[in-house]
Coordinates of all heavy atoms in Angstrom, one line a residue:
M12 N 141.4 101.5 82.1 CA 141.1 102.8 82.4 C 139.6 103.1 82.2 O 138.9 102.7 81.3 CB 141.7 103.8 81.2 CG 141.8 105.2 81.5 SD 142.9 105.6 82.9 CE 142.9 107.2 82.9
S13 N 139.0 103.7 83.2 CA 137.5 103.9 83.3 C 137.2 105.1 82.5 O 138.0 106.1 82.2 CB 137.0 104.2 84.7 OG 135.8 104.5 84.7
T14 N 135.9 105.1 81.9 CA 135.4 106.3 81.1 C 134.2 106.9 81.8 O 133.5 107.7 81.3 CB 135.0 105.7 79.8 OG1 133.8 104.8 79.9 CG2 136.0 105.1 78.9
I15 N 134.2 106.6 83.3 CA 133.2 107.4 84.0 C 133.6 108.7 84.2 O 134.6 109.0 84.8 CB 132.9 106.6 85.3 CG1 132.5 105.2 84.9 CG2 131.8 107.2 86.1 CD1 132.3 104.3 86.1
S16 N 132.7 109.6 83.9 CA 133.0 111.1 84.2 C 132.1 111.6 85.4 O 131.1 111.1 85.7 CB 132.9 112.0 82.9 OG 131.5 111.9 82.5
I17 N 132.5 112.8 85.9 CA 131.7 113.5 86.8 C 130.4 114.0 86.1 O 129.4 113.8 86.9 CB 132.5 114.8 87.2 CG1 133.6 114.3 88.2 CG2 131.6 115.6 88.2 CD1 134.6 115.4 88.7
E18 N 130.5 114.3 85.0 CA 129.1 114.7 84.3 C 128.1 113.5 84.2 O 127.0 113.7 84.3 CB 129.4 115.4 82.8 CG 130.1 116.6 82.8 CD 131.6 116.5 83.3 OE1 132.3 115.4 83.1 OE2 132.2 117.5 83.8
E19 N 128.6 112.3 83.9 CA 127.8 111.2 83.9 C 127.2 110.8 85.2 O 126.0 110.4 85.4 CB 128.6 109.9 83.5 CG 128.9 110.0 82.0 CD 129.8 109.0 81.4 OE1 130.9 108.7 82.2 OE2 129.6 108.4 80.4
V20 N 128.0 111.1 86.3 CA 127.6 110.8 87.7 C 126.4 111.9 88.1 O 125.5 111.4 88.5 CB 128.6 110.8 88.7 CG1 128.1 110.8 90.2 CG2 129.6 109.6 88.4
K21 N 126.6 113.0 87.6 CA 125.7 114.0 88.0 C 124.4 113.8 87.1 O 123.3 114.1 87.7 CB 126.2 115.5 87.5 CG 127.2 116.0 88.5 CD 127.8 117.3 88.1 CE 128.8 117.9 89.1 NZ 129.4 119.3 88.6
R22 N 124.5 113.4 86.0 CA 123.4 113.1 85.0 C 122.6 111.9 85.6 O 121.4 112.0 85.7 CB 123.8 112.7 83.7 CG 122.8 112.2 82.7 CD 122.0 113.4 82.2 NE 121.0 112.8 81.2 CZ 119.7 113.0 81.2 NH1 119.2 113.9 82.1 NH2 119.0 112.6 80.3
L23 N 123.3 110.9 86.1 CA 122.5 109.7 86.9 C 121.9 110.2 88.1 O 120.7 109.8 88.4 CB 123.5 108.6 87.1 CG 124.0 107.8 85.9 CD1 125.2 106.8 86.4 CD2 122.9 107.0 85.2
A24 N 122.5 111.1 88.7 CA 121.9 111.6 90.0 C 120.6 112.3 89.7 O 119.7 112.3 90.3 CB 122.9 112.6 90.9
D25 N 120.7 113.1 88.6 CA 119.5 114.0 88.2 C 118.4 113.1 87.8 O 117.2 113.3 88.2 CB 119.8 114.8 87.1 CG 120.8 116.1 87.4 OD1 120.7 116.4 88.8 OD2 121.2 116.6 86.6
L26 N 118.6 111.9 87.0 CA 117.8 110.9 86.5 C 117.0 110.2 87.8 O 115.8 109.9 87.7 CB 118.3 109.9 85.5 CG 118.7 110.5 84.3 CD1 119.5 109.5 83.5 CD2 117.5 110.9 83.5
A27 N 117.9 110.0 88.9 CA 117.4 109.3 90.1 C 116.8 110.3 91.0 O 116.3 109.9 92.0 CB 118.5 108.6 90.7
E28 N 116.7 111.6 90.6 CA 116.2 112.7 91.4 C 116.9 112.7 92.7 O 116.2 112.8 93.8 CB 114.7 112.6 91.5 CG 114.0 112.7 90.2 CD 112.4 112.7 90.3 OE1 112.0 112.5 91.3 OE2 111.8 112.8 89.2
I29 N 118.2 112.5 92.7 CA 119.1 112.7 94.0 C 119.9 113.8 93.8 O 120.6 114.1 92.9 CB 119.9 111.4 94.1 CG1 119.0 110.2 94.2 CG2 120.9 111.6 95.3 CD1 119.8 108.8 94.1
G30 N 119.7 114.9 94.9 CA 120.5 116.0 94.8 C 121.9 115.7 95.3 O 122.1 115.2 96.5
I31 N 123.0 116.0 94.6 CA 124.3 115.7 95.0 C 125.1 117.1 94.9 O 125.0 117.7 93.8 CB 125.1 114.5 94.5 CG1 125.1 114.6 92.9 CG2 124.4 113.2 94.8 CD1 126.1 113.6 92.3
T32 N 126.2 117.3 95.8 CA 127.1 118.4 95.5 C 128.2 118.1 94.6 O 128.3 116.8 94.3 CB 127.6 118.8 96.8 OG1 128.5 117.8 97.3 CG2 126.5 119.2 98.0
D33 N 128.8 119.0 94.2 CA 130.1 118.9 93.3 C 131.0 117.9 94.0 O 131.6 116.9 93.4 CB 130.8 120.0 92.8 CG 129.9 120.8 91.9 OD1 129.0 120.3 91.3 OD2 130.1 122.1 91.8
E34 N 131.3 118.0 95.3 CA 132.3 117.2 96.0 C 131.7 115.8 96.1 O 132.5 114.8 95.9 CB 132.3 117.7 97.5 CG 133.2 119.1 97.6 CD 133.0 119.7 99.0 OE1 132.4 119.0 99.9 OE2 133.7 120.6 99.1
E35 N 130.5 115.6 96.3 CA 129.9 114.3 96.3 C 130.0 113.6 95.0 O 130.4 112.4 94.9 CB 128.3 114.2 96.9 CG 128.1 114.6 98.3 CD 126.7 114.9 98.6 OE1 126.0 115.4 97.7 OE2 126.3 114.6 99.7
A36 N 129.8 114.3 93.9 CA 129.9 113.7 92.6 C 131.3 113.3 92.3 O 131.5 112.3 91.7 CB 129.4 114.9 91.5
E37 N 132.3 114.1 92.7 CA 133.7 113.8 92.5 C 134.0 112.6 93.4 O 134.6 111.7 92.8 CB 134.5 114.9 93.1 CG 136.0 114.7 92.7 CD 136.9 116.0 93.0 OE1 136.4 117.1 92.8 OE2 138.0 115.7 93.4
R38 N 133.5 112.5 94.5 CA 133.8 111.2 95.4 C 133.1 110.0 94.8 O 133.7 109.0 94.8 CB 133.4 111.6 96.8 CG 133.9 110.6 97.9 CD 133.6 110.8 99.2 NE 132.1 110.8 99.4 CZ 131.3 111.8 100.0 NH1 132.0 112.9 100.2 NH2 130.0 111.7 100.1
L39 N 131.9 110.2 94.3 CA 131.3 109.0 93.8 C 131.9 108.6 92.5 O 132.0 107.3 92.2 CB 129.7 109.4 93.5 CG 128.9 109.5 94.7 CD1 127.5 110.1 94.5 CD2 128.6 108.2 95.5
T40 N 132.5 109.6 91.8 CA 133.1 109.1 90.5 C 134.4 108.4 90.7 O 134.5 107.3 90.2 CB 133.3 110.5 89.7 OG1 132.2 111.2 89.5 CG2 134.1 110.1 88.4
E41 N 135.1 108.8 91.7 CA 136.2 108.1 92.1 C 136.0 106.6 92.5 O 136.6 105.7 92.2 CB 137.0 108.9 93.2 CG 137.6 110.2 92.9 CD 138.2 111.1 93.9 OE1 138.1 110.5 95.1 OE2 138.7 112.0 93.6
G42 N 134.8 106.6 93.4 CA 134.5 105.1 93.8 C 134.1 104.3 92.7 O 134.4 103.1 92.6
L43 N 133.3 104.9 91.8 CA 132.9 104.1 90.6 C 133.9 103.6 89.8 O 133.9 102.6 89.2 CB 131.7 104.9 89.8 CG 130.4 105.0 90.5 CD1 129.5 106.0 89.8 CD2 129.7 103.7 90.7
V44 N 134.9 104.6 89.6 CA 136.2 104.1 88.9 C 136.9 103.0 89.4 O 137.2 102.0 88.8 CB 137.0 105.4 88.7 CG1 138.5 105.0 88.1 CG2 136.5 106.4 87.8
V45 N 137.0 102.9 90.7 CA 137.6 101.8 91.4 C 136.8 100.6 91.3 O 137.3 99.5 90.9 CB 137.8 102.2 92.9 CG1 138.3 100.9 93.8 CG2 138.7 103.3 93.2
I46 N 135.5 100.8 91.5 CA 134.6 99.6 91.2 C 134.8 99.0 89.8 O 134.8 97.8 89.6 CB 133.2 99.9 91.6 CG1 133.1 100.2 93.1 CG2 132.2 98.8 91.2 CD1 131.7 100.7 93.5
A47 N 134.7 99.8 88.7 CA 134.8 99.5 87.5 C 136.1 98.8 87.1 O 136.2 97.8 86.4 CB 134.7 100.6 86.4
E48 N 137.2 99.3 87.7 CA 138.6 98.7 87.6 C 138.5 97.3 88.1 O 139.1 96.4 87.6 CB 139.6 99.4 88.2 CG 139.9 100.7 87.5 CD 140.7 101.8 88.2 OE1 141.3 101.5 89.3 OE2 141.2 102.7 87.5
Y49 N 137.9 97.1 89.4 CA 137.8 95.7 90.0 C 137.0 94.8 89.1 O 137.3 93.6 88.9 CB 137.3 95.8 91.4 CG 138.3 96.3 92.5 CD1 137.9 97.3 93.2 CD2 139.6 95.7 92.5 CE1 138.9 97.7 94.3 CE2 140.5 96.1 93.4 CZ 140.0 97.1 94.4 OH 141.0 97.5 95.3
A50 N 135.9 95.3 88.6 CA 135.0 94.5 87.8 C 135.9 94.1 86.5 O 135.7 93.0 86.1 CB 133.9 95.2 87.3
G51 N 136.6 94.9 86.1 CA 137.5 94.7 84.9 C 138.5 93.5 85.2 O 138.7 92.6 84.4
Q52 N 139.1 93.6 86.3 CA 140.0 92.5 86.8 C 139.2 91.2 87.0 O 139.8 90.1 86.6 CB 140.6 92.9 88.2 CG 141.6 94.0 88.0 CD 142.2 94.3 89.4 OE1 141.9 93.8 90.6 NE2 142.8 95.5 89.5
V53 N 138.1 91.2 87.5 CA 137.3 90.0 87.6 C 137.0 89.4 86.3 O 137.0 88.1 86.0 CB 135.9 90.2 88.4 CG1 135.0 89.0 88.3 CG2 136.3 90.6 89.8
S54 N 136.7 90.3 85.3 CA 136.4 89.8 83.9 C 137.6 89.1 83.4 O 137.4 88.2 82.6 CB 135.9 91.1 83.0 OG 134.7 91.5 83.6
E55 N 138.7 89.6 83.6 CA 140.0 89.0 83.0 C 140.1 87.6 83.7 O 140.5 86.7 83.0 CB 141.1 89.9 83.4 CG 141.2 91.2 82.7 CD 142.4 92.1 83.0 OE1 143.3 91.6 83.8 OE2 142.3 93.3 82.8
I56 N 139.8 87.5 84.9 CA 140.0 86.2 85.6 C 138.9 85.2 85.0 O 139.3 84.1 84.9 CB 139.9 86.4 87.1 CG1 141.1 87.1 87.7 CG2 139.8 84.9 87.8 CD1 140.9 87.6 89.0
S57 N 137.7 85.7 84.9 CA 136.6 84.9 84.5 C 136.9 84.3 83.0 O 136.0 83.4 82.6 CB 135.3 85.5 84.6 OG 135.2 86.6 83.7
D58 N 137.8 84.9 82.3 CA 138.0 84.3 81.0 C 138.7 82.9 81.0 O 138.7 82.1 79.9 CB 138.9 85.4 80.1 CG 138.0 86.6 79.7 OD1 136.8 86.5 79.9 OD2 138.7 87.5 79.4
V59 N 139.3 82.6 82.1 CA 140.0 81.3 82.3 C 138.8 80.3 82.3 O 137.7 80.6 82.7 CB 140.8 81.4 83.5 CG1 141.6 80.1 83.8 CG2 141.8 82.5 83.6
D60 N 139.2 79.0 82.1 CA 138.3 78.0 82.2 C 137.7 77.7 83.6 O 138.1 76.8 84.3 CB 138.8 76.7 81.6 CG 139.1 76.9 80.0 OD1 138.3 77.6 79.5 OD2 140.0 76.1 79.6
V61 N 136.8 78.6 83.9 CA 136.2 78.5 85.4 C 134.8 78.4 85.0 O 134.1 79.2 84.5 CB 136.4 79.6 86.3 CG1 135.8 79.4 87.6 CG2 138.0 79.7 86.5
A62 N 134.1 77.2 85.5 CA 132.6 77.2 85.5 C 131.8 78.2 86.1 O 132.3 78.5 87.2 CB 132.1 75.8 85.8
P63 N 130.9 78.8 85.6 CA 130.0 79.8 86.3 C 129.3 79.1 87.5 O 129.0 77.9 87.4 CB 129.1 80.4 85.3 CG 129.3 79.6 84.0 CD 130.4 78.7 84.3
S64 N 129.4 79.9 88.5 CA 128.7 79.3 89.7 C 128.0 80.4 90.6 O 128.4 81.5 90.6 CB 129.8 78.5 90.6 OG 129.1 78.1 92.0
A65 N 126.9 80.0 91.2 CA 126.2 81.0 92.2 C 126.7 80.9 93.5 O 126.5 81.7 94.3 CB 124.8 80.6 92.3
Q66 N 127.7 79.7 93.8 CA 128.2 79.7 95.1 C 129.8 79.7 95.0 O 130.3 79.1 94.0 CB 127.8 78.3 95.6 CG 126.2 78.3 95.8 CD 125.9 76.8 96.2 OE1 126.5 75.8 96.1 NE2 124.6 76.6 96.6
S67 N 130.3 80.2 96.1 CA 131.9 80.1 96.0 C 132.3 78.8 96.5 O 133.5 78.4 96.0 CB 132.5 81.2 96.9 OG 131.9 81.1 98.2
I68 N 131.6 78.0 97.2 CA 132.0 76.7 97.6 C 130.8 75.9 97.4 O 129.5 76.3 97.5 CB 132.3 76.5 99.2 CG1 131.2 77.2 100.1 CG2 133.6 77.4 99.5 CD1 131.4 76.8 101.5
Q69 N 130.9 74.6 97.0 CA 129.9 73.6 96.6 C 129.3 73.2 97.9 O 130.0 72.6 98.8 CB 130.4 72.6 95.9 CG 130.8 73.0 94.4 CD 129.6 73.7 93.7 OE1 128.5 73.2 93.7 NE2 129.8 74.7 92.9
L70 N 128.0 73.5 98.1 CA 127.3 72.9 99.4 C 126.8 71.5 99.1 O 126.4 71.2 97.9 CB 126.2 73.8 99.8 CG 126.5 75.4 99.9 CD1 125.3 76.2 100.3 CD2 127.4 75.4 101.1
V71 N 126.9 70.8 100.1 CA 126.4 69.4 100.1 C 125.3 69.1 101.1 O 125.3 69.6 102.2 CB 127.6 68.5 100.3 CG1 127.0 67.1 100.2 CG2 128.7 68.6 99.4
N72 N 124.1 68.5 100.7 CA 123.2 68.2 101.6 C 123.6 67.2 102.6 O 124.0 66.2 102.3 CB 121.9 67.6 100.9 CG 120.7 67.5 101.7 OD1 120.7 67.8 102.8 ND2 119.6 67.1 101.0
V73 N 123.5 67.7 104.0 CA 124.0 66.9 105.1 C 122.8 66.1 105.8 O 123.1 65.4 106.6 CB 124.6 67.7 106.2 CG1 125.9 68.4 105.7 CG2 123.7 68.7 106.7
L74 N 121.6 66.2 105.1 CA 120.5 65.5 105.7 C 120.5 64.0 105.2 O 121.0 63.7 104.2 CB 119.1 66.1 105.3 CG 119.0 67.6 105.7 CD1 117.7 68.2 105.1 CD2 119.1 67.8 107.2
R75 N 119.9 63.1 106.0 CA 119.9 61.8 105.6 C 118.8 61.5 104.7 O 118.0 62.4 104.4 CB 119.6 60.9 106.9 CG 118.2 61.0 107.5 CD 117.9 60.1 108.6 NE 116.8 60.4 109.2 CZ 115.5 60.3 108.7 NH1 115.3 59.7 107.5 NH2 114.5 60.6 109.5
E76 N 118.8 60.4 103.9 CA 117.9 60.1 102.9 C 116.5 60.0 103.7 O 116.4 59.5 104.8 CB 118.2 58.7 102.3 CG 119.4 58.8 101.3 CD 119.0 59.5 100.1 OE1 118.0 59.3 99.6 OE2 119.8 60.3 99.6
D77 N 115.5 60.4 103.0 CA 114.1 60.2 103.5 C 113.6 58.8 103.1 O 113.0 58.7 102.0 CB 113.2 61.4 102.9 CG 111.9 61.3 103.7 OD1 111.8 60.8 104.7 OD2 111.0 62.1 103.1
V78 N 113.8 57.9 104.0 CA 113.4 56.6 103.8 C 112.3 56.3 104.7 O 112.3 56.5 106.0 CB 114.5 55.6 104.0 CG1 114.2 54.2 103.8 CG2 115.7 56.0 103.1
A79 N 111.2 55.6 104.1 CA 110.1 55.2 105.1 C 110.5 54.0 105.8 O 111.1 53.1 105.4 CB 108.9 54.8 104.2
G80 N 110.2 54.0 107.1 CA 110.6 53.1 108.1 C 109.3 52.4 108.6 O 108.2 52.7 108.3
T81 N 109.5 51.6 109.6 CA 108.3 50.8 110.2 C 107.8 51.8 111.3 O 108.6 52.3 112.1 CB 108.8 49.6 110.8 OG1 109.5 48.7 109.9 CG2 107.7 48.9 111.5
P82 N 106.4 52.1 111.3 CA 106.0 53.1 112.4 C 106.0 52.3 113.6 O 105.9 51.0 113.8 CB 104.6 53.3 111.8 CG 104.2 52.1 110.9 CD 105.5 51.7 110.3
M83 N 106.2 53.1 114.7 CA 106.0 52.5 116.0 C 104.6 52.1 116.4 O 103.5 52.7 115.9 CB 106.5 53.5 117.1 CG 108.0 53.9 116.8 SD 108.4 55.1 118.1 CE 108.7 53.9 119.5
D84 N 104.4 51.2 117.3 CA 103.2 50.7 117.6 C 102.4 51.7 118.5 O 102.9 52.2 119.5 CB 103.3 49.5 118.6 CG 102.0 48.8 119.0 OD1 101.0 49.0 118.3 OD2 102.0 48.3 120.1
P85 N 101.2 52.3 118.1 CA 100.5 53.2 118.8 C 100.2 53.0 120.3 O 100.3 53.8 121.1 CB 99.2 53.5 118.0 CG 99.5 52.9 116.6 CD 100.6 51.9 116.8
E86 N 99.8 51.7 120.4 CA 99.4 51.3 121.9 C 100.7 51.3 122.7 O 100.6 51.7 124.0 CB 98.8 49.9 121.8 CG 97.5 49.8 121.2 CD 96.9 48.4 121.2 OE1 97.5 47.7 122.0 OE2 95.9 48.2 120.7
Q87 N 101.8 51.0 122.2 CA 103.1 51.1 123.0 C 103.4 52.4 123.3 O 103.9 52.9 124.5 CB 104.1 50.4 122.1 CG 105.5 50.2 122.8 CD 106.6 49.5 122.1 OE1 106.4 49.3 120.9 NE2 107.7 49.2 122.7
L88 N 103.2 53.4 122.2 CA 103.5 54.9 122.5 C 102.6 55.4 123.6 O 103.0 56.1 124.5 CB 103.4 55.5 121.2 CG 104.4 55.4 120.2 CD1 104.0 56.0 118.9 CD2 105.8 55.9 120.6
L89 N 101.3 55.0 123.5 CA 100.3 55.5 124.5 C 100.7 55.1 125.8 O 100.5 55.8 126.9 CB 98.8 55.2 124.0 CG 98.3 56.0 123.0 CD1 96.9 55.4 122.5 CD2 98.1 57.4 123.4
A90 N 101.1 53.9 125.9 CA 101.5 53.3 127.3 C 102.6 54.0 128.0 O 102.6 54.2 129.1 CB 101.8 51.8 127.1
A91 N 103.4 54.7 127.1 CA 104.6 55.5 127.8 C 104.1 56.9 128.1 O 104.8 57.7 128.9 CB 105.7 55.6 126.7
A92 N 102.8 57.3 127.7 CA 102.4 58.7 128.0 C 101.9 58.8 129.5 O 101.4 57.9 130.0 CB 101.2 59.1 127.1
P93 N 102.1 59.9 130.1 CA 101.6 60.1 131.4 C 100.1 60.0 131.6 O 99.6 59.3 132.6 CB 102.1 61.4 131.9 CG 103.0 62.1 130.7 CD 102.8 61.2 129.7
E94 N 99.4 60.5 130.6 CA 97.9 60.4 130.6 C 97.6 60.1 129.2 O 98.1 60.7 128.2 CB 97.3 61.6 131.1 CG 97.6 61.9 132.6 CD 96.6 63.1 133.1 OE1 95.5 63.1 133.1 OE2 97.3 64.1 133.6
Q95 N 96.4 59.4 129.1 CA 95.8 59.2 127.8 C 94.3 59.0 128.0 O 93.8 58.9 129.1 CB 96.3 57.9 127.1 CG 96.1 56.6 128.1 CD 96.6 55.5 127.4 OE1 96.0 54.9 126.5 NE2 97.9 54.9 128.0
E96 N 93.6 59.3 126.8 CA 92.2 59.4 126.8 C 91.7 59.0 125.3 O 92.1 59.7 124.5 CB 91.6 60.7 127.3 CG 90.0 60.7 127.4 CD 89.5 62.1 128.0 OE1 90.2 62.5 129.0 OE2 88.8 62.6 127.3
D97 N 90.8 58.1 125.3 CA 90.3 57.7 124.0 C 91.3 57.4 122.9 O 91.3 58.0 121.8 CB 89.2 58.7 123.4 CG 88.0 58.9 124.4 OD1 87.7 57.9 124.9 OD2 87.5 60.0 124.4
S98 N 92.3 56.7 123.3 CA 93.5 56.3 122.4 C 94.3 57.6 121.8 O 94.7 57.5 120.7 CB 93.0 55.6 121.2 OG 92.5 54.3 121.6
M99 N 94.3 58.7 122.8 CA 95.1 60.0 122.4 C 95.9 60.4 123.5 O 95.6 60.0 124.8 CB 94.1 61.1 121.9 CG 93.3 60.8 120.7 SD 92.3 62.1 120.0 CE 90.9 61.9 121.1
F100 N 96.9 61.1 123.4 CA 97.7 61.7 124.4 C 96.7 62.8 125.2 O 96.1 63.6 124.5 CB 98.9 62.4 123.9 CG 99.9 61.4 123.4 CD1 100.2 61.2 122.0 CD2 100.6 60.6 124.3 CE1 101.0 60.3 121.5 CE2 101.6 59.7 123.7 CZ 101.8 59.5 122.3
K101 N 96.8 62.9 126.4 CA 96.0 63.9 127.2 C 97.1 64.7 127.6 O 98.1 64.4 128.4 CB 95.3 63.1 128.3 CG 94.3 64.2 129.0 CD 93.3 63.7 129.9 CE 92.5 64.6 130.6 NZ 91.6 64.0 131.5
V102 N 97.0 66.1 127.3 CA 98.1 67.1 127.8 C 97.2 68.2 128.6 O 96.0 68.4 128.4 CB 98.7 67.7 126.7 CG1 99.5 66.6 125.9 CG2 97.7 68.3 125.7
P103 N 97.8 69.0 129.5 CA 97.2 70.1 130.2 C 96.7 71.2 129.2 O 97.4 71.3 128.1 CB 98.3 70.6 131.0 CG 99.3 69.6 131.1 CD 99.2 68.8 129.8
Q104 N 95.6 71.7 129.5 CA 95.1 72.9 128.6 C 95.9 74.1 128.8 O 96.3 74.4 130.0 CB 93.5 73.1 129.1 CG 93.0 74.3 128.3 CD 91.5 74.6 128.7 OE1 91.0 73.8 129.4 NE2 91.1 75.6 128.3
I105 N 96.4 74.7 127.8 CA 97.2 75.9 127.9 C 96.4 77.1 127.3 O 97.1 78.3 127.6 CB 98.5 75.8 127.0 CG1 98.2 75.4 125.4 CG2 99.3 74.6 127.5 CD1 99.4 75.4 124.5
L106 N 95.3 77.0 126.8 CA 94.6 78.2 126.2 C 93.4 78.1 127.1 O 92.6 77.2 127.3 CB 94.4 78.2 124.7 CG 95.6 78.2 123.8 CD1 95.2 78.0 122.5 CD2 96.4 79.4 124.0
E107 N 92.8 79.4 127.3 CA 91.4 79.4 127.9 C 90.5 79.2 126.9 O 90.5 79.6 125.8 CB 91.4 80.8 128.7 CG 92.3 81.2 129.8 CD 92.2 82.3 130.4 OE1 91.1 83.1 130.1 OE2 93.0 82.9 131.0
E108 N 89.3 78.6 127.3 CA 88.2 78.5 126.4 C 87.4 79.8 126.2 O 87.4 80.7 127.1 CB 87.2 77.4 127.1 CG 87.8 76.1 127.2 CD 86.8 75.1 127.6 OE1 85.6 75.3 127.5 OE2 87.2 74.1 128.0
E109 N 87.0 80.0 125.1 CA 86.2 81.2 124.7 C 84.9 81.0 125.3 O 84.2 80.0 125.3 CB 86.0 81.4 123.1 CG 87.4 81.8 122.4 CD 87.1 82.0 120.9 OE1 86.1 82.5 120.6 OE2 88.1 81.6 120.3
Q110 N 84.3 82.2 125.7 CA 83.0 82.2 126.4 C 82.0 82.9 125.4 O 82.2 83.7 124.8 CB 83.1 82.8 127.7 CG 84.1 82.0 128.6 CD 84.1 82.9 130.1 OE1 83.4 83.7 130.3 NE2 84.9 82.4 130.8

């Protein structure tokens, strides 16, 4: 059983400087009572031996191990490029030069 009253909701609204009507206060009170009841049910369940968790399902890293490998031969890579210049890949200019 909840102990949230309409007066408490109105007081909170005043503290938050939110203007609410009597109808809104009544509707908010009903909603807060329902939320408090659900929170109470969750508290009952959490008393069981369940480890606290930030995730509902345990996520597993699907990425491969970061293992250093043998680097490719730079000359072999450059040989596969359409154009090269001074041991670098040559690509078309995409930005205009500043004047």
Side-chain angles (χ1 to χ4, degrees):
M12 190 77 177
S13 173
T14 58
I15 300 171
S16 67
I17 291 178
E18 289 74 27
E19 289 172 317
V20 171
K21 287 181 178 178
R22 173 79 175 129
L23 287 174
D25 286 342
L26 290 172
E28 298 182 359
I29 300 172
I31 59 172
T32 64
D33 289 342
E34 291 174 357
E35 291 170 328
E37 186 173 330
R38 194 174 65 240
L39 288 170
T40 303
E41 291 171 2
L43 289 171
V44 167
V45 171
I46 291 170
E48 288 173 358
Y49 282 129
Q52 291 176 7
V53 170
S54 295
E55 291 174 12
I56 293 171
S57 66
D58 288 342
V59 180
D60 290 334
V61 176
S64 173
Q66 301 172 347
S67 58
I68 57 171
Q69 293 299 318
L70 299 178
V71 178
N72 187 357
V73 296
L74 301 177
R75 66 173 171 75
E76 288 288 322
D77 188 15
V78 179
T81 306
M83 297 185 74
D84 181 29
E86 291 183 14
Q87 187 179 8
L88 289 172
L89 284 171
E94 292 186 59
Q95 54 179 285
E96 183 176 313
D97 298 329
S98 299
M99 293 184 282
F100 294 105
K101 185 173 181 180
V102 295
Q104 181 176 345
I105 57 172
L106 300 175
E107 295 181 17
E108 292 183 24
E109 291 185 31
Q110 297 178 7

